[in-house]
Every structure is written in structure tokens, then in C-alpha cells.
Amino acid sequence: MADEAQPTKKANPAPLGLLGFGMTTVLLSLHNADVLTLDGVTLAMGIFVGGLAQVLAGIMEYKNGNTFGTVAFTLYGMFWLTFVATHMGIEGMSGESSTLGTWLLLWGILTLFLFVGTLKGRKSTMFVFATLTITFFLLSAGNYGGIDALLMAGGAVGVICGLAAMYTAFAEVLAEQHGKELLPF
């Protein structure tokens, strides 16, 4: 009888994607909340941590057969790459407030759709997508109306969202490392 190959255990890419998303979201949201300025640190974080790390996580989710993770991480990675491109002074890439408002509205609609996909999952993942949906809609409305209070509110909710994503990633890594849930998620 031939030796049967044991299936190779695959790593869970979700914590990588969640941390890429969460850390970058906190940084940008602090700018939206008027706490930090938008500078090269935020833009570099957007390229490499928000963009590249999430796209890689999305590709790994594809290899694991996870359609939701593939769509979410790959698209949000592309969100960050697009955001950086529009804020680096690339010729013809900056937009008007109404265009930015529409762009954010489209991301809010996508996120609402993905939120529905989390309803049978972990509470922490539902919370991340719920707060991200609210963040996008607040930022969209703030850009459409030129209302700084809505932009700042979107920033505040975005900080909560980013921290929740980081918490979820930490909970997943610790649960896997210890073989049991250490942080409820």
C-alpha cells in the first residue's frame, strides 16, 4: 500500500488582510477625524499594508477556496491603491468632491452587500463590516455636501472599524496559536 500524502495545512490569510485593512484604516481615519494630517506615511501605508498585504491575502483566500475573502481583501486592497494614486498628485488622478463622494458611495454599497455576507459569521466580522458601511456613507455624504462634521464623524467611526479589524485579526492568530479562543470574536 502506497503512502498516502497528508494534506498540507494552509495558513489562514484573514489576519494578514484584517491587519492590513485595520491598521491603514485607523491611520486614514485619524486624518478624516482631523487628528492627523494626510502625509507620506499614510500614503506608504496605503500602498504596502492596506494595498499589497490585502491583495496578497485575497490571492491566498482564493487558493483556500474562500470567495468572500477573495472578493473582500482583493477589492479593499485595490481601494487603498486607488486612494493613494488619487492623493499622490498623479496627473489627472485627483477628483472633485462630488466624484470622491460617488466613489465612496460605491464602496459603501459594496460594503453593505458584503456586510450581508457576514450575518452568519463571527460577531466581530459583522461589526467590522457594519462600521465600515457607516464610515463610507458618512464620508460620501460629507464629500457630497462639503460637511466637515460628517467627514469627522466618518473618521471617528473608521477608527472604531479599524481597531475592530485589528482585534479580530489578533483573536484569530491567538486562537490558532493556542488551539482555543483566548479573545472572544
Side-chain angles (χ1 to χ4, degrees), residues 116-155:
V116 172
T118 69
L119 293 177
K120 289 189 175 183
R122 292 190 167 115
K123 300 286 187 219
S124 61
T125 305
M126 287 173 30
F127 185 78
V128 169
F129 280 86
T131 54
L132 184 58
T133 301
I134 294 165
T135 298
F136 278 131
F137 287 146
L138 285 169
L139 294 174
S140 176
N143 275 281
Y144 272 128
I147 304 169
D148 289 340
L150 289 177
L151 297 174
M152 291 177 68

Side-chain angles (χ1 to χ4, degrees), residues 10-30:
K10 293 182 180 178
N12 177 5
L16 171 65
L18 286 165
L19 286 170
F21 167 78
M23 292 169 36
T24 312
T25 297
V26 168
L27 196 57
L28 178 60
S29 293
L30 288 170

